[in-house]
Amino acid sequence: MNSVDLAFTPALELAKLIRDRQISPIELVNLYLERIDRLNPKLGSYFTVTADRAQALAKAQTEQLAGFNKSQELPPFFGVPIAIKDLTPVTGIPCTYGTQALVDNISAYDESVVWRIKAAGFNILGKTATSQIGSLPYTEPPGFRPARNPWNRDYTPGGSSGGSAAAVAAGLCAIAQGSDGGGSVRGPASCCGLVGIKPSRGRVSWAPVGDYLSGISANGPLARTVADAAALLDVMSGYTTGDPYWLPDPSPTFLESASQKLGKLRIAFSTSVFPVGEAADVCQQAVLDTVKLLTDLGHDVEPGCPDFTGLIEPFTAIWQTGAAASGIPATVLQPMNRWLLERSISAGEYLRAVHQIQVVSRRIVGFFEKFDVLVLPTYMHSPIQIGEWADLSCEETLANIINWIAPCPPFNASGQPAIALPAILDSNGLPVGIQIIGRPAAEATLIALAAQMEAAKPFPVLDFK
């Protein structure tokens, strides 16, 4: 296997190659570090590369492996390189939150997903690019190179987990962590031809701190295969003492769900999101192609979608408080985030907004009493060009954002699981994806269905050299 093929090998297969002594952790880390050194200047997918730390751990893991018998148990991803989004603290590594003023902000602790990732044997290569404080669905924070889509570098990889998605799609890591407060895993997955999972509320702990936005955000995996994403979700999931909401551990595991046979599902689909309107033609086509695939697989598929009326205003009100919740001074924020900070609402208005999205969420979840799964576009149109909205007013930018990401926030509000999957390529050679949404806590059903779809219609892997 040549180095390019190895770089694009699924993370689960890399773990097996290491266990079987066909490649060492140090060889694998050096392969990815060489690609990062050569290709990241073209992509801007990493803010920080921790080469020395990664090589030191890989060397120790290689030495540890030499002393193991093949019959001995190793962590599931022993020696496999991963990337962490730069909104997520990792001890001893800068956490910039996409803010140039915080490039020397060294984290003093690991977020729970990080210590679970470390315990699984992963080797962290660095911190990936994010929009400033994760507020925007494109990744162009001032003071950093913009993150670029490896399928077509004139376009965004999405946001706010744009760097993680670009790194996975370009073979600059095997798999990556992201977070999703309004589509920030699913959108970049769609833009970059990947699998991205937004898990159910309470599936992944925010320890040792809490979430800032009343449960609308969740950590999730970005991967090239459904099985890889499922396995990383297994790693990330679990209760930590004091969590405000939680779910029991899955049984069987999410990875096991990826190989389970499915019975016939009742599936709804829509190419539009009310009250925003119809998706662009290419996004509609992605849904219709998916409908045909699901029908051919034997599922019952019919038109249908919840009514999202009454959600946009309260969701936007909660989302825009992220600028104030960050605690970052207005003087170092970009104009859009300063504007959001100035629009901060009162405590009473915030609580009324939370109340309203909970009311609408009951209607959304109620739709799934009749259906097992809903298929929607991930975004309403193809990825935008780098800098396409740079000259717009803040009001115009916000309106464009709401329209573009419209299919995603409803399920952050309801706390339901959703998986973004690649579907087709647009006229610019960019991936366009769909998302499948399930009942609360029903990730296993979505993963089994996504694996069935992937097996029936594989999406091409980008050959990025």
Side-chain angles (χ1 to χ4, degrees):
M1 186 182 298
N2 63 45
S3 62
V4 174
D5 289 341
L6 197 59
F8 287 93
T9 298
L12 285 164
E13 293 181 30
L14 291 176
K16 185 176 187 303
L17 290 173
I18 289 171
R19 286 195 300 273
D20 292 344
R21 281 41 169 203
Q22 294 186 42
I23 188 169
S24 71
I26 189 65
E27 289 171 328
L28 193 56
V29 158
N30 283 337
L31 181 152
Y32 281 111
L33 289 174
E34 185 279 327
R35 289 181 62 84
I36 293 169
D37 185 62
R38 178 165 49 86
L39 299 172
N40 192 57
K42 302 177 184 179
L43 291 175
S45 55
Y46 284 86
F47 284 162
T48 303
V49 180
T50 53
D52 290 345
R53 285 172 58 128
Q55 287 175 319
L57 176 57
K59 184 174 183 293
Q61 287 178 323
T62 300
E63 292 171 354
Q64 182 182 352
L65 190 63
F68 270 75
N69 296 322
K70 287 190 176 182
S71 60
Q72 289 180 288
E73 193 74 21
L74 285 169
F77 285 99
F78 185 84
V80 176
I82 193 171
I84 305 294
K85 181 179 179 180
D86 204 21
L87 295 183
T88 305
V90 180
T91 302
I93 300 176
C95 192
T96 72
Y97 303 96
T99 304
Q100 182 60 222
L102 297 179
V103 292
D104 296 321
N105 175 46
I106 307 301
S107 299
Y109 68 93
D110 287 338
E111 197 166 285
S112 64
V113 291
V114 173
W115 59 255
R116 291 177 190 275
I117 282 167
K118 288 180 176 179
F122 281 110
N123 191 336
I124 297 171
L125 295 173
K127 304 293 289 297
T128 54
T130 177
S131 57
Q132 191 181 74
I133 64 173
S135 62
L136 303 175
Y138 47 91
T139 307
E140 305 170 27
F144 298 90
R145 286 191 298 263
R148 296 180 179 273
N149 194 315
W151 290 83
N152 184 331
R153 282 178 278 157
D154 291 333
Y155 291 82
T156 184
S160 60
S161 305
S164 287
V168 175
L172 304 192
C173 59
I175 197 167
Q177 171 265 348
S179 55
D180 189 316
S184 288
V185 164
R186 289 164 288 162
S190 179
C191 292
C192 293
L194 302 175
V195 179
I197 302 179
K198 184 204 81 68
S200 298
R201 180 174 299 136
R203 181 68 69 192
V204 179
S205 173
W206 284 103
V209 296
D211 77 90
Y212 292 105
L213 298 174
S214 299
I216 68 173
S217 187
N219 282 292
L222 285 148
R224 286 188 288 273
T225 69
V226 173
D228 274 3
L232 181 52
L233 183 57
D234 278 323
V235 167
M236 297 168 73
S237 298
Y239 171 76
T240 302
T241 302
D243 284 343
Y245 25 69
W246 63 92
L247 294 172
D249 293 337
S251 181
T253 68
F254 293 132
L255 178 56
E256 289 168 340
S257 295
S259 59
Q260 288 197 326
K261 291 185 178 180
L262 270 177
K264 181 181 291 189
L265 298 178
R266 187 95 183 261
I267 300 175
F269 76 93
S270 180
T271 59
S272 64
V273 175
F274 191 80
V276 173
E278 285 282 353
D281 288 349
V282 69
C283 298
Q284 293 187 46
Q285 191 60 54
V287 171
L288 295 176
D289 286 1
T290 301
V291 167
K292 183 180 184 306
L293 174 63
L294 291 169
T295 303
D296 292 344
L297 290 170
H299 300 291
D300 289 332
V301 188
E302 63 181 270
C305 188
D307 181 355
F308 303 127
T309 301
L311 184 65
I312 291 175
E313 185 176 10
F315 189 94
T316 302
I318 294 168
W319 164 78
Q320 71 187 23
T321 63
S326 73
I328 297 174
T331 53
V332 302
L333 293 176
Q334 67 187 94
M336 183 70 184
N337 282 326
R338 285 202 302 272
W339 180 73
L340 293 174
L341 185 62
E342 291 165 1
R343 285 166 54 95
S344 291
I345 56 179
S346 69
E349 290 170 324
Y350 182 92
L351 291 175
R352 283 194 292 275
V354 171
H355 169 81
Q356 184 60 31
I357 68 166
Q358 290 174 351
V359 170
V360 178
S361 293
R362 291 183 187 278
R363 187 171 71 232
I364 295 170
V365 176
F367 174 85
F368 288 81
E369 293 176 0
K370 181 179 177 182
F371 295 100
D372 300 298
V373 173
L374 171 65
V375 178
L376 290 177
T378 305
Y379 277 172
M380 296 294 276
H381 58 77
S382 292
I384 61 172
Q385 288 187 296
I386 301 294
E388 185 171 333
W389 295 346
D391 295 329
L392 299 181
S393 69
C394 294
E395 291 88 348
E396 290 170 324
T397 300
L398 178 59
N400 283 357
I401 289 171
I402 289 171
N403 178 72
W404 190 29
I405 70 170
C408 288
F411 310 105
N412 294 91
S414 68
Q416 291 169 260
I419 300 180
L421 297 170
I424 60 177
L425 294 174
D426 72 6
S427 59
N428 294 310
L430 291 160
V432 174
I434 56 90
Q435 59 175 330
I436 55 175
I437 302 100
R439 294 171 174 169
E443 287 95 333
T445 299
L446 294 183
I447 288 167
L449 179 61
Q452 184 186 51
M453 295 164 65
E454 180 184 67
K457 189 179 178 182
F459 195 77
V461 174
L462 177 66
D463 185 7
F464 194 79
K465 300 179 182 178

